[in-house]
């Protein structure tokens, strides 16, 4: 049984991250999602996380910081959307 090449795994994460960012931006640009959309923010969190992992593997500090910050912004927005929906539901 062949083992998983760790570098290939990080390349996979990089592609998942890139596709997530592109998909989120495309759907936003064609008005299928809004910035307040949970799906939009989750795609940004996934993209940021995956590209942060890829940048970590490549020792690419600027990309790591940029994508980690992007991921935390998306995470903050995701939690705010969930909190707002819960408050609206309980009102």
């Amino acid at each position: 049984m062949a083992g998983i090449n760790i570098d290939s795994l990080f390349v996979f994460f990089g592609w998942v991250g890139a596709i997530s960012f592109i998909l989120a931006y495309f759907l936003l640009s064609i008005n299928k999602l809004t910035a307040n959309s949970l799906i939009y923010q989750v795609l940004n969190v996934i993209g940021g996380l995956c590209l942060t992992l890829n940048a970590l593997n490549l020792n690419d500090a600027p990309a790591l910081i940029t994508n980690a910050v992007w991921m935390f912004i998306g995470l903050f927005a995701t939690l705010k959307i969930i909190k707002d929906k819960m408050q609206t539901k309980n009102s």
Side-chain angles (χ1 to χ4, degrees):
M1 185 165 139
I4 296 175
N5 179 330
I6 195 75
D7 288 330
S8 295
L9 184 61
F10 283 106
V11 169
F12 174 76
F13 286 145
W15 279 112
V16 170
I19 290 166
S20 294
F21 276 167
I22 292 167
L23 181 61
Y25 185 63
F26 175 71
L27 293 172
L28 181 71
S29 296
I30 63 169
N31 296 318
K32 294 295 181 185
L33 296 178
T34 66
N36 295 352
S37 166
L38 188 59
I39 293 170
Y40 175 73
Q41 296 301 337
V42 168
L43 284 169
N44 279 302
V45 171
I46 291 168
L49 175 62
C50 289
L51 287 172
T52 296
L53 292 172
N54 182 264
L56 183 64
N57 182 56
L58 297 173
N59 294 317
D60 184 353
L64 186 139
I65 297 300
T66 301
N67 287 300
V69 169
W70 193 283
M71 177 190 65
F72 283 115
I73 291 168
L75 186 58
F76 175 79
T78 298
L79 294 174
K80 183 179 181 325
I81 291 167
I82 291 169
K83 178 184 169 193
D84 291 349
K85 284 185 179 186
M86 290 176 70
Q87 285 179 343
T88 301
K89 190 176 186 179
N90 292 334
S91 304

